[in-house]
Amino acid sequence: MWCVAVAAGSFRRYATYRVATAAGVFTNTVFGFIVAYAYLALWAERPHLGGYDRAQALAFVWIAQALLAASALMGGGGLDELEERIRSGDVAVDLYRPADLQVWWLAADLGRAALQLIARGVVPLAVGALVFPLALPGDAATWGWFLVSVLLGVVVSFALRYLVALASFWLLDGSGLSLISGLACMFFSGMVLPLRVFPGGFGEVAQLLPWAAILQVPADVLVGARGGDGLLRGLVFQAAWAAALLALGRLVQSAATRKVVVQGG
C-alpha cells in the first residue's frame, strides 16, 4: 500500500540526519540525568508521591526522555513542514495527489516516530537503566503492550499537531499556536511531572485530557502502574482520543479544502 511506502520513506529520510540524531541522544541523556536527580530529591521527601516508588519515578523520567522525540512531546515532529506548505500555497499540490492528505501525513509521522523511537529512545533508556534502579518489566508481554500504547500515543500526538497545522489555513502565522500547543503537551502529558502527582480535581481532569494519552499512559504501562483492567482502560482511553481527534481533523480538513477551492476559483 502507498501509506506503507510513505512511512518507509519517512523512516529513511530521518535516518539520514545522523549528526542531529546523535546530538538528540546526547541531549536527551543529559536532561535525563538532570531530571532524575531532581526526582531523587523530591521522592526523598515524599517516598510514595503520586503512588510511585522511587524506582517507578526514575523509570518515568527515562521513559519520557525515550519518547520525547518519537511522540513529539515538544511539538513539531515534521508537521511544521505542513504548516509551511500551507502558508506558501504548496499544499495545493498535495491536495492533487491520489491520496488523502491526513492519511499521507499520518503515515509519514509514523515512519518518523519509528526512527526516533529506535535512534533516540533506546540509548537514553539503556543509560538510565545502567545508572539508576529503574522499575522496568522483565516479561515480553508488558513490553509489547507498552509498544502498542506508544503507537496509540503517537497517533494522538499526530492528531493534535495536525489540527494545529491546519489552523494555518486561517492564521497568517501559526507559530504562536504551535508554541502554545507544545507547552500544553509538555505540561499535560506528564513530561514535567507525572499527572498522578497533580493534586485533587486538577490532577483528575489532567488525566482525562488527550495529552495524557501521549506519555502518561504508556509510562504507566511500562512501570507497572497499569495492569489488568487498568491496562485495558488505558488503551481504550488512548484509542478513543485518537479516533475523536482524527475525526475532528477530517472535519477541519474538509473545511480547509473548501477554503482552498474557493480561493483558487
Side-chain angles (χ1 to χ4, degrees):
M1 293 178 62
W2 62 264
C3 54
V4 176
V6 171
S10 180
F11 185 98
R12 291 193 299 270
R13 173 190 175 187
Y14 281 91
T16 61
Y17 302 135
R18 297 176 183 175
V19 175
T21 299
V25 170
F26 176 77
T27 302
N28 288 154
T29 304
V30 170
F31 273 96
F33 277 103
I34 294 172
V35 179
Y37 282 112
Y39 273 39
L40 282 173
L42 185 57
W43 260 260
E45 297 293 326
R46 302 281 298 277
H48 297 286
L49 183 62
Y52 299 113
D53 59 27
R54 188 176 71 167
Q56 287 176 312
L58 289 172
F60 197 103
V61 172
W62 291 100
I63 293 168
Q65 292 302 317
L67 296 182
L68 178 63
S71 298
L73 292 172
M74 298 179 69
L79 288 185
D80 47 354
E81 180 181 347
L82 174 58
E83 292 183 30
E84 180 55 36
R85 291 184 70 81
I86 292 172
R87 285 194 292 269
S88 67
D90 291 340
V91 71
V93 177
D94 300 336
L95 293 173
Y96 273 109
R97 291 187 183 128
D100 180 77
L101 185 69
Q102 186 186 50
V103 177
W104 176 284
W105 283 98
L106 174 58
D109 198 59
L110 290 176
R112 175 205 61 79
L115 184 280
Q116 298 289 15
L117 183 63
I118 296 170
R120 289 185 58 177
V122 174
V123 173
L125 186 59
V127 171
L130 288 173
V131 178
F132 300 96
L134 306 186
L136 297 177
D139 60 298
T142 302
W143 283 98
W145 286 119
F146 167 69
L147 292 177
V148 171
S149 185
V150 169
L151 173 61
L152 290 171
V154 169
V155 174
V156 172
S157 172
F158 164 80
L160 287 167
R161 288 178 286 117
Y162 188 71
L163 287 169
V164 172
L166 290 181
S168 296
F169 276 106
W170 291 271
L171 300 176
L172 293 176
D173 185 358
S175 58
L177 184 60
S178 297
L179 177 60
I180 294 172
S181 176
L183 291 174
C185 184
M186 286 186 63
F187 187 79
F188 288 109
S189 67
M191 183 69 191
V192 178
L193 275 175
L195 301 183
R196 292 172 178 260
V197 173
F198 292 1
F202 179 69
E204 294 176 3
V205 171
Q207 293 184 64
L208 296 176
L209 298 176
W211 295 283
I214 301 174
L215 172 60
Q216 182 70 47
V217 175
D220 278 348
V221 170
L222 196 60
V223 302
R226 282 185 179 271
D229 291 342
L231 171 60
L232 179 60
R233 287 195 299 271
L235 296 178
V236 170
F237 169 77
Q238 290 179 290
W241 269 119
L245 291 169
L246 287 174
L248 179 59
R250 296 204 69 79
L251 291 175
V252 176
Q253 175 182 307
S254 178
T257 302
R258 288 197 299 271
K259 178 181 177 65
V260 170
V261 170
V262 169
Q263 289 182 342

